[in-house]
Amino acid sequence: MIETIKTTPYTDQKMGTAGLRKKTKVIMQPNYFENFIQSIFNTIPALNQKSFLIGGDGRYFNKVAIQKIIKIAAANQVKKLYIGQNGLVSTPAGSHIILENKLDGGFILTASHNPGGIGGDFGIKYANATGGQCQPAESQAIYEQTQKINEYKISDMPDIDLSQIGLTRCEDMEIEIIDPIADYIKLMESIFDFNQLRALLKSDFRFVFDAMNGVTGPYGKKLFEEILGAPAGTVIHATPLEDFGGLHPDPNLIYAKPLVDLMFSDNAPDFAAANDGDGDRNMILGRRFFVCPSDSLAILTDHYQTIPAYRNGIFGVAKSAATSMAVKRVAEALKIGYYEVPTGWKYFIHLMDSQRITLCGEESFGTGASHIREKDGIWATLFWLSIIAQTRKSVKDIALDHWKKYGRSYYLRNDFEKIPQETADKLMSDLQNKLPSLIGQTFGSYTVNEAYPFIYNDPVDHTSTQNGLIVHFKDGSRIVYRLSGTGTDGATLRTYIERYVTDDLLENPEDMLKELCGVSRQISEITIRTGKEQPDIIT
């Protein structure tokens, strides 16, 4: 039986670039989640002709949320749902499932790299038929619905068994529980040379893949150990856990410290990679060596012909504005298209759909390609393994060869977290107003050459403002300032520090950028305004 439940709006359900992210206890408020799902359905016409994917990263409230979506979808006469077995679907695999099955969209239940558990975070990524993030007009329409909703529809049917692959029904809606891993692995096999990878992983080469107790644990076990023949135990933290086992599932030098410590120990394997909670982010490590994500994108682009799927050429490459200029130098040398976009994967999707790029990436540990419409942690890992298999060189030597060829952008991201939103907004507003007066000023060794807000004008179909502030110095160094939208507790000011050199290629980045980091704080007045003398996280 279908029930109509009277409700009242919540005012804080506006989606950011990463969907709706809130503290888990906020999402669990009476009718909060139901309101949001009904608001999405209210924006979609002809639901009786529409099919959607549902899955998540396994965090706390994931299975409860899936049952709620099923019952609300059934009450709204949705035609069909595809649901990952046990409620699991990685974000990259979800994008592929939507595209492969020509679905009308999907609900990926994740807060990505944010902590889980009842005291952590929960989120909803609503994807459209592109397999990627819904566009600003769609998210605005959903938000407008959340502000006026007064009822939602829901079936009172019993919960669906998510553990058994096969067909079932809820009301008049068809439900197919699917293997969320098999088709994704077939996709990877169509891109990479699995025979070459098997030969590498069955040799004396040592590799660790850290799933951080997120959704890619089962994907990694199946792919790396069962199919490609890596030894049992190659994949660590392989079981998706509701609280990620207490881990913060963000693959960076701070939150993946046990893996970093291993890679800098005397017993370090040859190569390691880590994924975040939903599998779209990646960190790459060699023995006693960390690969900056900006460099990773540049190195992958330079080696694109290593990969069978790209040997006939690629359209081009794009990066977020905050990502270092390393990949631009590669694009110019290879004479391929190059684009700089705001942070947010939706900007890459426009470029992919118009066949202007094949590869893309952000400094926030996200790289991907046009095989899907999301960043892809396992794809990036396979790409690196392919380069190693082809060159027979270490990660460090691959990076050093790259820097000798193109020069090195020493690069750090400084995160100043949990700043009151009003304080952060005022800081950015005042800094933007100050930008013209910075030109020509000298701060220590650095003289400002340009200073401007980053405004993106896509000649095909997109314009965007409020994307951060960029300061260029005469020696080619840069500082980028941007407020992040991925947290749930106050604002995060991120400053991106970059210095280009053609010698001194193996120095410590913090030493090489110490003065410029100080300049970034001086220009922004962040210590005066927030009391923070040092960043909370340095990457």
Side-chain angles (χ1 to χ4, degrees), residues 388-508:
I388 293 167
Q390 182 85 7
T391 63
R392 290 294 171 175
K393 292 183 177 181
S394 69
V395 172
K396 181 178 179 179
D397 285 343
I398 290 168
L400 186 57
D401 286 348
H402 184 86
W403 294 333
K404 288 176 180 177
K405 183 177 180 181
Y406 292 104
R408 179 178 182 182
S409 286
Y410 279 96
Y411 183 91
L412 288 176
R413 188 181 87 191
N414 293 338
D415 289 8
F416 299 87
E417 297 185 322
K418 298 181 181 179
I419 301 172
Q421 190 69 51
E422 184 178 352
T423 301
D425 290 341
K426 183 71 163 55
L427 184 154
M428 290 294 286
S429 176
D430 290 347
L431 179 55
Q432 180 167 337
N433 291 334
K434 187 169 71 172
L435 290 179
S437 69
L438 294 176
I439 298 173
Q441 286 195 45
T442 297
F443 300 87
S445 306
Y446 298 91
T447 300
V448 177
N449 186 42
E450 292 182 282
Y452 54 89
F454 177 55
I455 298 174
Y456 179 61
N457 289 304
D458 186 318
V460 175
D461 58 2
H462 208 90
T463 298
S464 179
T465 60
Q466 304 296 315
N467 298 306
L469 310 173
I470 301 178
V471 179
H472 283 276
F473 298 90
K474 288 187 176 180
D475 70 339
S477 300
R478 291 195 319 159
I479 300 172
V480 180
Y481 299 92
R482 190 179 72 86
L483 291 183
S484 169
T486 61
T488 61
D489 188 6
T492 296
L493 174 65
R494 287 181 170 156
T495 61
Y496 308 84
I497 319 295
E498 178 179 355
R499 178 185 172 191
Y500 176 63
V501 301
T502 55
D503 50 14
D504 297 324
L505 299 177
L506 286 172
E507 300 299 317
N508 184 317

Side-chain angles (χ1 to χ4, degrees), residues 294-311:
S294 294
D295 283 334
S296 183
L297 174 62
I299 290 168
L300 297 187
T301 303
D302 198 38
H303 287 269
Y304 77 83
Q305 290 186 324
T306 301
I307 309 305
Y310 310 137
R311 282 178 186 156

Side-chain angles (χ1 to χ4, degrees), residues 17 86 103 150 245 251 313 324 339 408 454 462 482 485 499 528:
T17 58
N86 297 315
L103 305 186
N150 56 30
S324 88
Y339 301 87
R408 179 178 182 182
F454 177 55
H462 208 90
R482 190 179 72 86
R499 178 185 172 191
I528 296 171

Side-chain angles (χ1 to χ4, degrees), residues 42-258:
N42 285 350
T43 68
I44 303 171
L47 284 168
N48 62 349
Q49 301 172 30
K50 300 294 196 300
S51 298
F52 300 94
L53 171 70
I54 305 176
D57 60 12
R59 69 179 58 224
Y60 187 85
F61 197 63
N62 189 71
K63 290 183 178 179
V64 174
I66 289 174
Q67 298 292 346
K68 289 178 182 289
I69 298 175
I70 292 170
K71 294 171 185 179
I72 295 172
N76 282 272
Q77 300 182 319
V78 167
K79 178 183 177 181
K80 184 173 181 178
L81 296 178
Y82 292 74
I83 304 174
Q85 186 179 23
N86 297 315
L88 298 176
V89 174
S90 75
T91 291
S95 181
H96 175 58
I97 291 166
I98 291 169
L99 290 168
E100 179 76 7
N101 294 281
K102 297 180 172 59
L103 305 186
D104 298 287
F107 300 84
I108 305 299
L109 305 176
T110 178
S112 189
H113 55 289
N114 291 14
I118 193 168
D121 298 339
F122 193 83
I124 311 161
K125 291 182 178 180
Y126 173 60
N128 60 22
T130 68
Q133 301 167 1
C134 66
Q135 296 302 301
E138 294 172 297
S139 59
Q140 180 62 28
I142 293 166
Y143 176 67
E144 290 172 1
Q145 286 292 320
T146 69
Q147 299 309 289
K148 62 185 180 183
I149 190 170
N150 56 30
E151 65 181 31
Y152 62 87
K153 297 177 182 179
I154 190 165
S155 170
D156 66 353
M157 287 189 65
D159 287 354
I160 299 295
D161 183 357
L162 302 178
S163 67
Q164 297 298 314
I165 291 175
L167 292 172
T168 185
R169 301 192 74 85
C170 181
E171 304 292 350
D172 293 326
M173 179 180 68
E174 186 174 309
I175 300 171
E176 185 171 353
I177 309 299
I178 62 171
D179 181 340
I181 300 174
D183 283 349
Y184 175 79
I185 290 179
K186 288 180 183 177
L187 176 65
M188 294 298 103
E189 192 168 15
S190 74
I191 297 172
F192 300 100
D193 183 343
F194 272 28
N195 288 331
Q196 183 183 66
L197 293 171
R198 282 191 190 94
L200 176 69
L201 296 182
K202 289 183 177 181
S203 69
D204 58 359
F205 179 83
R206 295 172 60 214
F207 162 48
V208 173
F209 179 82
D210 190 346
M212 302 193 81
N213 294 325
V215 72
T216 56
Y219 289 80
K221 295 289 284 187
K222 183 71 175 180
L223 176 60
F224 296 120
E225 295 185 9
E226 294 183 32
I227 294 176
L228 295 179
T234 294
V235 181
I236 63 174
H237 299 123
T239 301
L241 300 175
E242 290 191 338
D243 65 350
F244 302 107
L247 296 180
H248 186 148
D250 191 352
N252 61 38
L253 295 170
I254 303 299
Y255 296 127
K257 191 175 184 300

